[in-house]
mmCIF file of all heavy atoms in Angstrom:
data_model
loop_
_atom_site.group_PDB
_atom_site.id
_atom_site.type_symbol
_atom_site.label_atom_id
_atom_site.label_comp_id
_atom_site.label_asym_id
_atom_site.label_seq_id
_atom_site.Cartn_x
_atom_site.Cartn_y
_atom_site.Cartn_z
ATOM 1 N N THR A 53 -61.446 60.945 172.393
ATOM 2 C CA THR A 53 -62.577 60.104 172.515
ATOM 3 C C THR A 53 -63.192 60.266 173.928
ATOM 4 O O THR A 53 -62.433 60.481 174.869
ATOM 5 C CB THR A 53 -62.229 58.552 172.350
ATOM 6 O OG1 THR A 53 -61.421 58.126 173.459
ATOM 7 C CG2 THR A 53 -61.422 58.341 171.068
ATOM 8 N N TYR A 77 -64.956 62.513 169.654
ATOM 9 C CA TYR A 77 -65.715 61.348 169.196
ATOM 10 C C TYR A 77 -66.268 60.609 170.407
ATOM 11 O O TYR A 77 -65.422 60.163 171.242
ATOM 12 C CB TYR A 77 -64.764 60.419 168.414
ATOM 13 C CG TYR A 77 -65.464 59.197 167.797
ATOM 14 C CD1 TYR A 77 -66.059 59.219 166.503
ATOM 15 C CD2 TYR A 77 -65.547 58.003 168.509
ATOM 16 C CE1 TYR A 77 -66.657 58.133 165.994
ATOM 17 C CE2 TYR A 77 -66.169 56.901 167.980
ATOM 18 C CZ TYR A 77 -66.747 56.925 166.741
ATOM 19 O OH TYR A 77 -67.382 55.879 166.167
ATOM 20 N N ASP A 103 -69.740 55.560 168.443
ATOM 21 C CA ASP A 103 -69.349 54.515 169.438
ATOM 22 C C ASP A 103 -67.973 53.972 169.149
ATOM 23 O O ASP A 103 -67.689 53.657 167.980
ATOM 24 C CB ASP A 103 -70.419 53.371 169.362
ATOM 25 C CG ASP A 103 -70.357 52.430 170.520
ATOM 26 O OD1 ASP A 103 -69.258 52.108 171.019
ATOM 27 O OD2 ASP A 103 -71.496 52.006 171.015
ATOM 28 N N ILE A 104 -67.121 53.936 170.177
ATOM 29 C CA ILE A 104 -65.748 53.359 169.910
ATOM 30 C C ILE A 104 -65.749 51.922 169.576
ATOM 31 O O ILE A 104 -64.765 51.441 169.060
ATOM 32 C CB ILE A 104 -64.787 53.659 171.072
ATOM 33 C CG1 ILE A 104 -65.340 53.092 172.367
ATOM 34 C CG2 ILE A 104 -64.464 55.082 171.205
ATOM 35 C CD1 ILE A 104 -64.346 53.098 173.518
ATOM 36 N N ARG A 105 -66.866 51.235 169.765
ATOM 37 C CA ARG A 105 -67.024 49.863 169.266
ATOM 38 C C ARG A 105 -67.197 49.834 167.757
ATOM 39 O O ARG A 105 -67.166 48.707 167.164
ATOM 40 C CB ARG A 105 -68.159 49.156 170.022
ATOM 41 C CG ARG A 105 -67.795 48.931 171.506
ATOM 42 C CD ARG A 105 -68.942 48.403 172.296
ATOM 43 N NE ARG A 105 -70.022 49.457 172.453
ATOM 44 C CZ ARG A 105 -71.087 49.301 173.142
ATOM 45 N NH1 ARG A 105 -71.359 48.075 173.776
ATOM 46 N NH2 ARG A 105 -71.983 50.301 173.274
ATOM 47 N N ASP A 106 -67.542 50.910 167.144
ATOM 48 C CA ASP A 106 -67.760 51.034 165.670
ATOM 49 C C ASP A 106 -66.458 51.347 165.008
ATOM 50 O O ASP A 106 -66.095 52.513 164.779
ATOM 51 C CB ASP A 106 -68.815 52.052 165.387
ATOM 52 C CG ASP A 106 -69.228 52.086 163.938
ATOM 53 O OD1 ASP A 106 -68.492 51.564 163.125
ATOM 54 O OD2 ASP A 106 -70.276 52.684 163.643
ATOM 55 N N GLU A 107 -65.603 50.357 164.696
ATOM 56 C CA GLU A 107 -64.319 50.603 164.134
ATOM 57 C C GLU A 107 -64.354 51.256 162.812
ATOM 58 O O GLU A 107 -63.536 52.124 162.499
ATOM 59 C CB GLU A 107 -63.520 49.291 164.010
ATOM 60 C CG GLU A 107 -62.068 49.497 163.578
ATOM 61 C CD GLU A 107 -61.328 48.145 163.403
ATOM 62 O OE1 GLU A 107 -61.897 47.110 163.743
ATOM 63 O OE2 GLU A 107 -60.226 48.209 162.939
ATOM 64 N N GLY A 108 -65.360 50.933 161.960
ATOM 65 C CA GLY A 108 -65.454 51.554 160.649
ATOM 66 C C GLY A 108 -65.672 53.071 160.786
ATOM 67 O O GLY A 108 -64.992 53.836 160.068
ATOM 68 N N LYS A 109 -66.586 53.508 161.616
ATOM 69 C CA LYS A 109 -66.839 54.926 161.757
ATOM 70 C C LYS A 109 -65.650 55.642 162.320
ATOM 71 O O LYS A 109 -65.293 56.770 161.931
ATOM 72 C CB LYS A 109 -68.053 55.164 162.602
ATOM 73 C CG LYS A 109 -68.489 56.612 162.704
ATOM 74 C CD LYS A 109 -69.837 56.815 163.359
ATOM 75 C CE LYS A 109 -70.246 58.317 163.419
ATOM 76 N NZ LYS A 109 -71.593 58.537 163.921
ATOM 77 N N LEU A 110 -65.033 55.000 163.336
ATOM 78 C CA LEU A 110 -63.870 55.580 163.950
ATOM 79 C C LEU A 110 -62.727 55.770 162.910
ATOM 80 O O LEU A 110 -62.076 56.789 162.863
ATOM 81 C CB LEU A 110 -63.397 54.664 165.109
ATOM 82 C CG LEU A 110 -62.316 55.210 166.053
ATOM 83 C CD1 LEU A 110 -62.837 56.398 166.844
ATOM 84 C CD2 LEU A 110 -61.882 54.084 167.017
ATOM 85 N N ARG A 111 -62.565 54.779 162.040
ATOM 86 C CA ARG A 111 -61.588 54.901 161.009
ATOM 87 C C ARG A 111 -61.792 56.023 160.049
ATOM 88 O O ARG A 111 -60.905 56.756 159.626
ATOM 89 C CB ARG A 111 -61.515 53.552 160.219
ATOM 90 C CG ARG A 111 -60.258 53.444 159.340
ATOM 91 C CD ARG A 111 -60.232 52.033 158.661
ATOM 92 N NE ARG A 111 -60.241 50.962 159.653
ATOM 93 C CZ ARG A 111 -59.158 50.562 160.299
ATOM 94 N NH1 ARG A 111 -57.972 51.128 160.086
ATOM 95 N NH2 ARG A 111 -59.261 49.556 161.189
ATOM 96 N N PHE A 114 -60.781 59.313 161.736
ATOM 97 C CA PHE A 114 -59.348 59.506 161.649
ATOM 98 C C PHE A 114 -58.841 59.949 160.278
ATOM 99 O O PHE A 114 -57.995 60.772 160.107
ATOM 100 C CB PHE A 114 -58.598 58.248 162.136
ATOM 101 C CG PHE A 114 -58.398 58.087 163.585
ATOM 102 C CD1 PHE A 114 -59.451 57.930 164.495
ATOM 103 C CD2 PHE A 114 -57.103 58.139 164.139
ATOM 104 C CE1 PHE A 114 -59.243 57.741 165.870
ATOM 105 C CE2 PHE A 114 -56.879 58.049 165.472
ATOM 106 C CZ PHE A 114 -57.980 57.869 166.359
ATOM 107 N N HIS A 124 -57.430 59.123 174.526
ATOM 108 C CA HIS A 124 -58.508 58.141 174.591
ATOM 109 C C HIS A 124 -59.137 58.080 175.977
ATOM 110 O O HIS A 124 -58.549 57.478 176.872
ATOM 111 C CB HIS A 124 -58.057 56.745 174.169
ATOM 112 C CG HIS A 124 -59.059 55.695 174.307
ATOM 113 N ND1 HIS A 124 -60.397 55.789 173.782
ATOM 114 C CD2 HIS A 124 -58.954 54.399 174.841
ATOM 115 C CE1 HIS A 124 -61.002 54.716 174.098
ATOM 116 N NE2 HIS A 124 -60.195 53.818 174.691
ATOM 117 N N GLU A 143 -66.664 44.999 176.615
ATOM 118 C CA GLU A 143 -66.707 45.395 175.174
ATOM 119 C C GLU A 143 -66.244 46.812 174.968
ATOM 120 O O GLU A 143 -65.468 47.083 174.056
ATOM 121 C CB GLU A 143 -68.118 45.194 174.648
ATOM 122 C CG GLU A 143 -68.614 43.766 174.478
ATOM 123 C CD GLU A 143 -70.043 43.623 174.092
ATOM 124 O OE1 GLU A 143 -70.787 44.667 174.244
ATOM 125 O OE2 GLU A 143 -70.437 42.582 173.665
ATOM 126 N N ILE A 144 -66.764 47.679 175.775
ATOM 127 C CA ILE A 144 -66.409 49.123 175.628
ATOM 128 C C ILE A 144 -64.932 49.360 175.999
ATOM 129 O O ILE A 144 -64.166 49.964 175.193
ATOM 130 C CB ILE A 144 -67.295 49.980 176.502
ATOM 131 C CG1 ILE A 144 -68.778 49.916 175.957
ATOM 132 C CG2 ILE A 144 -66.863 51.437 176.506
ATOM 133 C CD1 ILE A 144 -69.762 50.554 176.914
ATOM 134 N N ASN A 145 -64.539 48.909 177.153
ATOM 135 C CA ASN A 145 -63.234 49.258 177.663
ATOM 136 C C ASN A 145 -62.061 48.503 176.987
ATOM 137 O O ASN A 145 -61.009 49.153 176.737
ATOM 138 C CB ASN A 145 -63.169 49.020 179.189
ATOM 139 C CG ASN A 145 -64.064 49.993 179.958
ATOM 140 O OD1 ASN A 145 -64.614 50.892 179.380
ATOM 141 N ND2 ASN A 145 -64.255 49.719 181.233
ATOM 142 N N ILE A 146 -62.310 47.264 176.629
ATOM 143 C CA ILE A 146 -61.237 46.494 175.987
ATOM 144 C C ILE A 146 -61.277 46.599 174.468
ATOM 145 O O ILE A 146 -60.333 47.151 173.875
ATOM 146 C CB ILE A 146 -61.294 45.040 176.436
ATOM 147 C CG1 ILE A 146 -61.034 44.890 177.948
ATOM 148 C CG2 ILE A 146 -60.295 44.162 175.635
ATOM 149 C CD1 ILE A 146 -61.131 43.453 178.447
ATOM 150 N N MET A 147 -62.367 46.180 173.888
ATOM 151 C CA MET A 147 -62.436 46.211 172.406
ATOM 152 C C MET A 147 -62.506 47.678 171.872
ATOM 153 O O MET A 147 -62.020 47.988 170.785
ATOM 154 C CB MET A 147 -63.572 45.468 171.891
ATOM 155 C CG MET A 147 -63.395 43.934 172.129
ATOM 156 S SD MET A 147 -61.774 43.338 171.548
ATOM 157 C CE MET A 147 -61.771 43.814 169.831
ATOM 158 N N GLY A 148 -63.081 48.577 172.635
ATOM 159 C CA GLY A 148 -63.088 49.984 172.238
ATOM 160 C C GLY A 148 -61.660 50.553 172.153
ATOM 161 O O GLY A 148 -61.277 51.235 171.215
ATOM 162 N N THR A 149 -60.886 50.169 173.112
ATOM 163 C CA THR A 149 -59.467 50.581 173.120
ATOM 164 C C THR A 149 -58.675 49.929 172.023
ATOM 165 O O THR A 149 -57.851 50.616 171.363
ATOM 166 C CB THR A 149 -58.793 50.287 174.515
ATOM 167 O OG1 THR A 149 -59.533 50.946 175.536
ATOM 168 C CG2 THR A 149 -57.330 50.736 174.490
ATOM 169 N N VAL A 150 -58.895 48.653 171.788
ATOM 170 C CA VAL A 150 -58.250 47.971 170.621
ATOM 171 C C VAL A 150 -58.603 48.687 169.324
ATOM 172 O O VAL A 150 -57.709 48.891 168.473
ATOM 173 C CB VAL A 150 -58.673 46.529 170.587
ATOM 174 C CG1 VAL A 150 -58.202 45.852 169.301
ATOM 175 C CG2 VAL A 150 -58.095 45.762 171.814
ATOM 176 N N ASN A 151 -59.848 49.091 169.143
ATOM 177 C CA ASN A 151 -60.207 49.787 167.932
ATOM 178 C C ASN A 151 -59.464 51.084 167.773
ATOM 179 O O ASN A 151 -58.976 51.420 166.720
ATOM 180 C CB ASN A 151 -61.737 50.046 167.926
ATOM 181 C CG ASN A 151 -62.588 48.824 167.705
ATOM 182 O OD1 ASN A 151 -62.077 47.814 167.206
ATOM 183 N ND2 ASN A 151 -63.847 48.873 168.090
ATOM 184 N N VAL A 152 -59.372 51.831 168.868
ATOM 185 C CA VAL A 152 -58.598 53.104 168.842
ATOM 186 C C VAL A 152 -57.177 52.867 168.464
ATOM 187 O O VAL A 152 -56.591 53.543 167.627
ATOM 188 C CB VAL A 152 -58.718 53.844 170.187
ATOM 189 C CG1 VAL A 152 -57.755 55.049 170.214
ATOM 190 C CG2 VAL A 152 -60.131 54.316 170.483
ATOM 191 N N LEU A 153 -56.525 51.870 169.072
ATOM 192 C CA LEU A 153 -55.152 51.572 168.800
ATOM 193 C C LEU A 153 -54.980 51.067 167.377
ATOM 194 O O LEU A 153 -53.993 51.438 166.661
ATOM 195 C CB LEU A 153 -54.672 50.546 169.763
ATOM 196 C CG LEU A 153 -54.538 50.967 171.222
ATOM 197 C CD1 LEU A 153 -54.237 49.787 172.160
ATOM 198 C CD2 LEU A 153 -53.436 52.024 171.361
ATOM 199 N N GLU A 154 -55.887 50.190 166.893
ATOM 200 C CA GLU A 154 -55.798 49.713 165.535
ATOM 201 C C GLU A 154 -55.853 50.834 164.499
ATOM 202 O O GLU A 154 -55.043 50.954 163.555
ATOM 203 C CB GLU A 154 -56.954 48.776 165.253
ATOM 204 C CG GLU A 154 -56.621 47.329 165.648
ATOM 205 C CD GLU A 154 -55.530 46.758 164.794
ATOM 206 O OE1 GLU A 154 -55.686 46.737 163.536
ATOM 207 O OE2 GLU A 154 -54.521 46.202 165.369
ATOM 208 N N VAL A 155 -56.804 51.731 164.703
ATOM 209 C CA VAL A 155 -56.997 52.908 163.752
ATOM 210 C C VAL A 155 -55.861 53.830 163.843
ATOM 211 O O VAL A 155 -55.324 54.289 162.877
ATOM 212 C CB VAL A 155 -58.328 53.576 164.038
ATOM 213 C CG1 VAL A 155 -58.439 54.871 163.189
ATOM 214 C CG2 VAL A 155 -59.535 52.672 163.751
ATOM 215 N N ALA A 156 -55.374 54.105 165.090
ATOM 216 C CA ALA A 156 -54.318 55.109 165.295
ATOM 217 C C ALA A 156 -52.982 54.588 164.618
ATOM 218 O O ALA A 156 -52.249 55.430 164.041
ATOM 219 C CB ALA A 156 -54.120 55.369 166.763
ATOM 220 N N LYS A 157 -52.704 53.352 164.749
ATOM 221 C CA LYS A 157 -51.421 52.826 164.290
ATOM 222 C C LYS A 157 -51.385 52.803 162.742
ATOM 223 O O LYS A 157 -50.284 52.784 162.150
ATOM 224 C CB LYS A 157 -51.117 51.435 164.814
ATOM 225 C CG LYS A 157 -51.863 50.275 164.197
ATOM 226 C CD LYS A 157 -51.441 48.966 164.794
ATOM 227 C CE LYS A 157 -52.271 47.781 164.359
ATOM 228 N NZ LYS A 157 -52.048 47.484 162.863
ATOM 229 N N ASN A 158 -52.513 52.894 162.131
ATOM 230 C CA ASN A 158 -52.623 52.879 160.670
ATOM 231 C C ASN A 158 -52.958 54.279 160.089
ATOM 232 O O ASN A 158 -53.322 54.369 158.936
ATOM 233 C CB ASN A 158 -53.641 51.844 160.193
ATOM 234 C CG ASN A 158 -53.253 50.400 160.540
ATOM 235 O OD1 ASN A 158 -52.108 50.036 160.261
ATOM 236 N ND2 ASN A 158 -54.149 49.605 161.070
ATOM 237 N N THR A 159 -52.854 55.328 160.898
ATOM 238 C CA THR A 159 -53.113 56.657 160.436
ATOM 239 C C THR A 159 -51.818 57.425 160.389
ATOM 240 O O THR A 159 -51.205 57.675 161.467
ATOM 241 C CB THR A 159 -54.148 57.359 161.364
ATOM 242 O OG1 THR A 159 -55.356 56.569 161.421
ATOM 243 C CG2 THR A 159 -54.445 58.767 160.841
ATOM 244 N N ILE A 167 -53.502 56.799 176.374
ATOM 245 C CA ILE A 167 -54.676 56.003 176.788
ATOM 246 C C ILE A 167 -54.945 56.264 178.282
ATOM 247 O O ILE A 167 -54.054 56.011 179.106
ATOM 248 C CB ILE A 167 -54.428 54.503 176.533
ATOM 249 C CG1 ILE A 167 -54.071 54.249 175.074
ATOM 250 C CG2 ILE A 167 -55.651 53.686 176.984
ATOM 251 C CD1 ILE A 167 -55.130 54.508 174.087
ATOM 252 N N ILE A 205 -52.825 45.463 177.054
ATOM 253 C CA ILE A 205 -52.987 45.666 175.641
ATOM 254 C C ILE A 205 -52.136 46.794 175.086
ATOM 255 O O ILE A 205 -51.512 46.733 174.076
ATOM 256 C CB ILE A 205 -54.505 45.853 175.305
ATOM 257 C CG1 ILE A 205 -55.260 44.572 175.459
ATOM 258 C CG2 ILE A 205 -54.689 46.379 173.842
ATOM 259 C CD1 ILE A 205 -56.788 44.782 175.551
ATOM 260 N N TYR A 209 -49.306 46.566 172.233
ATOM 261 C CA TYR A 209 -49.365 47.386 171.053
ATOM 262 C C TYR A 209 -48.114 48.275 170.871
ATOM 263 O O TYR A 209 -47.614 48.497 169.768
ATOM 264 C CB TYR A 209 -50.627 48.229 170.929
ATOM 265 C CG TYR A 209 -51.732 47.543 170.165
ATOM 266 C CD1 TYR A 209 -52.481 46.555 170.738
ATOM 267 C CD2 TYR A 209 -52.042 47.959 168.901
ATOM 268 C CE1 TYR A 209 -53.528 45.919 170.072
ATOM 269 C CE2 TYR A 209 -53.048 47.300 168.158
ATOM 270 C CZ TYR A 209 -53.812 46.296 168.751
ATOM 271 O OH TYR A 209 -54.761 45.686 168.071
ATOM 272 N N PHE A 214 -46.321 50.159 167.719
ATOM 273 C CA PHE A 214 -46.111 51.617 167.746
ATOM 274 C C PHE A 214 -44.633 52.017 167.754
ATOM 275 O O PHE A 214 -44.300 52.946 167.079
ATOM 276 C CB PHE A 214 -46.848 52.187 168.968
ATOM 277 C CG PHE A 214 -48.316 52.373 168.766
ATOM 278 C CD1 PHE A 214 -49.145 51.306 168.600
ATOM 279 C CD2 PHE A 214 -48.873 53.631 168.728
ATOM 280 C CE1 PHE A 214 -50.478 51.455 168.442
ATOM 281 C CE2 PHE A 214 -50.222 53.826 168.536
ATOM 282 C CZ PHE A 214 -51.048 52.724 168.346
#
Side-chain angles (χ1 to χ4, degrees):
T53 70
Y77 183 91
D103 194 320
I104 55 170
R105 291 171 290 183
D106 187 343
E107 184 182 355
K109 184 170 183 176
L110 193 63
R111 193 176 301 279
F114 273 68
H124 174 48
E143 287 174 346
I144 295 171
N145 293 351
I146 294 177
M147 290 312 300
T149 301
V150 169
N151 287 341
V152 171
L153 292 170
E154 273 293 306
V155 172
K157 77 179 175 65
N158 294 315
T159 303
I167 306 294
I205 289 165
Y209 265 78
F214 279 68

